[in-house]
Amino acid sequence: MIARIALFILGLALAGGATAADESTSRISIGGTVAITSAVAGPVVAIGGTVDVDAPVGGSFRAAGGSVAIGSGGSVSGDVSVAGGTVTIDGPILGDLHAAGGNVTVNGQVVGNASIAAGTLILGPRARIEGHLSFHGDELRRDPAAQVLGGVGRPHPRSHAREHWHWRTHERTLAERFADGWIWSGVLMVLAALIAAALPEVSQRFALELRERPWLTPLLGLVALSAIPVAAVLVMLTIIGIPIGVLALVAYAALLLIGYVWLAVVVGAMLLDRVSPEAAARTASRVGAAVLAMLAFALLVRLPFIGGFLNLAALAVGVGMIVAALFRAWPSQAA
């Protein structure tokens, strides 16, 4: 899951940086509620709590929000890139569709290909994807009347090692979903071991933040998780700010990965110090504790119902731990 989040953010950053310069005449709408109720000749960029399209859009459409919907009265003549908690596509899309969200529903026409990352993807009875559908997620609900002319592709869990796609149309079993990502979990364990061996002093500073400010740390993490991508996208709305926004999103993806892994390193070290302070002073013991903690994280986030919450909590605490330590070090460095 961490890999999917980081790769999607990186892809969004590169896509935004590559196209924003070409679409300098785009309509940009930002607000709590963004509603497009009249035809727009050019491309559209929209950011809001709720984004609704109920009119034709002459170019591409890019949007991010809590809820993003292209209604039956709306249409997009270019490509569509959207991200939101809930994404609904009822109107026709004449280009490609790229969507990410907790729940994504497609119940309209997509002339091009569709690439969708979601916890749940619903293909309604009026869905017609004329290209191929690439789906990254847990559950695919497909109405018998839904049409995907180019076939449905999903990455097989074992294909990551061979770096190729295995196309299949059946739903993944519980065992397949549980095994998905274990190669990546092994990479995270190796990274945790390297951090524990090479940077014990930094890990101790992070542990100090968790001990002294246990409630402020996750709060800072939640603020950073929500504020950094929004600020980066806002900066990218200007031509001059595009490189800064792209770098900010790349750094944000790296922060998610590093914060998640480093939290496992810190938790392992704190537990080891409580059990055996003498062993905590040895590099081999710290490495072993970090690997075991990372393994425990990988198991916990795969639990049904609560795994997603635990994953978000680990991200918030890990990112907040790093942000809090940077805030603590900044006054002394400035002095």
Side-chain angles (χ1 to χ4, degrees):
M1 180 61 71
I2 302 300
R4 292 174 183 170
I5 295 173
L7 288 174
F8 175 74
I9 292 172
L10 179 59
L12 184 62
L14 295 177
T19 60
D22 296 332
E23 298 177 357
S24 57
T25 60
S26 300
R27 170 177 169 177
I28 299 171
S29 300
I30 302 174
T33 299
V34 176
I36 299 175
T37 56
S38 58
V40 180
V44 172
V45 176
I47 302 173
T50 300
V51 179
D52 292 321
V53 178
D54 287 308
V57 175
S60 63
F61 176 69
R62 291 180 174 82
S67 173
V68 180
I70 300 177
S72 56
S75 63
V76 180
S77 63
D79 295 338
V80 171
S81 299
V82 292
T86 302
V87 176
T88 304
I89 308 295
D90 289 328
I93 297 172
L94 302 186
D96 294 334
L97 169 64
H98 302 272
N103 293 281
V104 176
T105 300
V106 178
N107 198 26
Q109 180 187 21
V110 179
V111 174
N113 299 319
S115 177
I116 299 174
T120 301
L121 170 61
I122 300 174
L123 298 180
R126 294 190 302 275
R128 178 182 171 86
I129 300 174
E130 299 184 11
H132 69 263
L133 168 63
S134 176
F135 174 54
H136 307 253
D138 295 327
E139 184 178 6
L140 172 60
R141 303 177 188 172
R142 181 175 178 177
D143 189 276
Q147 302 178 54
V148 183
L149 304 186
V152 180
R154 300 180 65 175
H156 193 279
R158 292 183 295 274
S159 67
H160 297 291
R162 299 188 299 270
E163 297 183 353
H164 71 273
W165 292 93
H166 174 70
W167 298 97
R168 57 197 178 104
T169 58
H170 69 275
E171 292 297 314
R172 290 186 302 171
T173 65
L174 178 62
E176 288 175 328
R177 291 198 299 268
F178 187 80
D180 186 21
W182 273 111
I183 293 177
W184 177 251
S185 296
V187 174
L188 296 183
M189 292 178 199
V190 173
L191 183 58
L194 294 175
I195 292 175
L199 300 168
E201 295 83 4
V202 180
S203 300
Q204 290 173 2
R205 288 201 293 271
F206 290 161
L208 181 64
E209 296 298 331
L210 290 180
R211 291 193 185 99
E212 294 187 353
R213 298 188 280 189
W215 299 109
L216 181 61
T217 298
L219 179 60
L220 285 174
L222 288 174
V223 171
L225 287 175
S226 58
I228 294 176
V230 173
V233 171
L234 291 176
V235 169
M236 290 173 64
L237 296 180
T238 64
I239 300 299
I240 297 176
I242 291 173
I244 299 175
V246 171
L247 290 176
L249 286 175
V250 173
Y252 179 68
L255 179 63
L256 293 178
L257 176 63
I258 294 173
Y260 187 79
V261 174
W262 220 316
L263 177 63
V265 175
V266 170
V267 170
M270 293 173 67
L271 293 175
L272 182 63
D273 185 64
R274 185 178 292 271
V275 173
S276 175
E278 295 81 8
R282 296 194 293 267
T283 300
S285 299
R286 292 196 307 270
V287 169
V291 171
L292 289 176
M294 194 71 256
L295 176 60
F297 277 27
L299 292 171
L300 289 173
V301 300
R302 285 171 169 80
L303 293 176
F305 305 112
I306 64 171
F309 173 77
L310 294 175
N311 198 51
L312 176 61
L315 280 173
V317 175
V319 171
M321 177 181 68
I322 295 176
V323 173
L326 291 175
F327 275 131
R328 183 190 289 266
W330 181 72
S332 59
Q333 291 176 352

